[in-house]
Amino acid sequence: MARPNAIVVGCGVSGLTCAHELARAGFSVEIWTRELPQRTTSSVAGAIWYPFKVAPKERVAQWASESYAAFERLARDPASGVTMCTGVELLPHGTHDEAAEYRACARNLRELARAELPAGFARGFELDVPVVEMPLYLRWLESTVRAAGVRIVERTLASLAPALDAAPLVVNCTALGSRELLGDRELRPIRGQLVRVERGSVERFVLDDFDPRGVTYVIPRSSDCIVGGTTDDGAEELVPSDAHTHSILQRCRELEPRLAAAQVLGVSVGVRPARTSVRVEREVPRPGVVLVHDYGHGGAGVTLSWGCAREAIRLAGAE
C-alpha cells in the first residue's frame, strides 16, 4: 500500500474533520486511532452548536463562525444528522452576558420580551443553531472520509514518533491523549453527564449555563431528547451517577415542563478535554516533517470542529 503523505492521529470529531479537509486538499491520508469514532468522547456529545468551557475568546469566535456556516450547509443533507433548531438561551438575574460575540453568529437572533421570559430570568435570546446528532453524524463523517480514500488504522501509540517517521505531515487530534503523548500538563478533564429521554412534544432547545445546581440544557433530536448536564472539573470517572441523573432531570423538567412524563432512555458520561486555550499550532519537529496540533476544545469540540480543522490545514500549508 502506498505511503500516506498525511497522518491524522485521533478519530473523534476533530480527527475526522481534519482528515476530511486534508483529503479534499488532495492529500493521501491515514487516520491512526486507538478508538473508532463510535467509542470516542465525541460520540456522547449533546451536541448543539455553542462555545462552552473554551478559550481564547477571539479565536473561538472565528472558529465557531466558520463551523456554524459548515453545519448550516450540512443541514441540507438529511443523512448528515445535522439539523437547524430554534430555541432559547436564558440568563438569570445577576449574571454577566459573556456570550454576545458567539451568539451574534446565529441566524434569526432576537432578544426575548420581558413577557416571554420564564420566572427567575432577566434576559433571554431566541436563535437558530445547528444540532448535531452525534451517532448519525459520526457515521456520516466516517463514511464520507472513507469514500474520499482515507484509511482508518486502529493503532495505539506511546508517542507521535512512529507517525512522524511515516509521513511528512502529522495532525495531532488526540484530545486528552496529548497529556501522555506530548506531556501537555495544561490539559485537564471535565466530566460531563447527560441523559437521553423521550422527545415527546419538545420542539425547541433551551440553554441555561448559570443554574447554580449545574449547567442545564434541553436539546431535541430526531427521535429523542438530550438533557444535561454536569461540569465536574478534574474528574474522569465514566460511571454514571444516579444523583447527577436525578438532578439533571429535575432541573430540565423545571425548564421544559413538557418533559415531566418523559421516560429515561439512557445515561452517558464523557470527559471534555479542557485547556487554558485550544491548541491549534504548527511545529517542525525535524527537517521535512510538519506537525500540526488541533486539541483542547473543552466543551466545544463539535462547535469548533470545522473552523479549527481549516486553520490546522492552513497551518500545514495545504491551502
Side-chain angles (χ1 to χ4, degrees), residues 61-71 73 306-307 310-311 314:
Q62 178 59 41
W63 294 329
S65 178
E66 282 194 63
S67 297
Y68 187 106
F71 284 125
R73 289 191 293 272
W306 289 99
R310 289 170 181 169
E311 180 162 342
R314 289 191 290 269

Side-chain angles (χ1 to χ4, degrees), residues 11 70 75 78 82 166 204 253 279 281 290:
C11 201
V82 181
R204 67 174 190 170
R253 286 166 175 163
R279 190 178 187 192
E281 296 177 5
V290 171

Side-chain angles (χ1 to χ4, degrees), residues 110-299:
R110 73 174 183 91
E111 184 160 4
L112 298 179
R114 185 176 298 277
E116 297 178 278
L117 294 170
F121 293 95
R123 298 181 73 189
F125 298 88
E126 183 179 78
L127 61 164
D128 294 349
V129 302
V131 168
V132 185
E133 195 163 344
M134 294 308 288
L136 301 178
Y137 180 63
L138 287 175
R139 282 197 294 271
W140 176 87
L141 192 51
E142 180 182 354
S143 66
T144 300
V145 300
R146 286 186 187 273
V150 175
R151 182 168 175 254
I152 299 178
V153 179
E154 292 183 72
R155 179 170 183 176
T156 299
L157 298 178
S159 75
L160 292 178
L164 298 172
D165 291 338
L169 172 61
V170 175
V171 182
N172 170 36
C173 299
T174 57
L176 278 175
S178 288
R179 289 182 301 180
E180 289 70 39
L181 287 175
L182 304 176
D184 187 341
R185 297 305 163 195
E186 281 195 50
L187 278 165
R188 71 185 194 281
I190 300 180
R191 180 186 182 278
Q193 181 168 317
L194 54 82
V195 182
R196 190 168 62 89
V197 301
E198 294 175 325
R199 175 172 173 170
S201 60
V202 175
E203 295 293 337
R204 67 174 190 170
F205 69 84
V206 189
L207 307 176
D208 174 9
D209 285 351
F210 299 96
D211 190 315
R213 297 168 295 177
V215 58
T216 304
Y217 50 84
V218 174
I219 306 170
R221 305 197 303 187
S222 62
S223 59
D224 58 16
C225 197
I226 297 297
V227 298
T230 64
T231 53
D232 303 324
D233 210 326
E236 298 185 62
E237 174 60 60
L238 293 178
V239 177
S241 159
D242 290 342
H244 284 330
T245 297
H246 176 77
S247 176
I248 288 167
L249 291 172
Q250 179 180 0
R251 300 191 319 262
C252 290
R253 286 166 175 163
E254 290 172 7
L255 203 58
E256 176 50 88
R258 282 175 288 188
L259 290 173
Q263 296 296 307
V264 172
L265 303 176
V267 181
S268 299
V269 176
V271 181
R272 306 174 181 98
R275 199 171 182 273
T276 307
S277 62
V278 178
R279 190 178 187 192
V280 183
E281 296 177 5
R282 170 190 167 110
E283 292 186 58
V284 182
R286 63 182 73 160
V289 177
V290 171
L291 170 61
V292 177
H293 301 284
D294 180 10
Y295 68 86
H297 303 93

Side-chain angles (χ1 to χ4, degrees), residues 30-41:
E30 284 186 359
I31 297 175
W32 290 5
T33 183
R34 184 180 62 189
E35 303 284 2
L36 292 175
Q38 298 297 335
R39 293 183 58 83
T40 64
T41 297

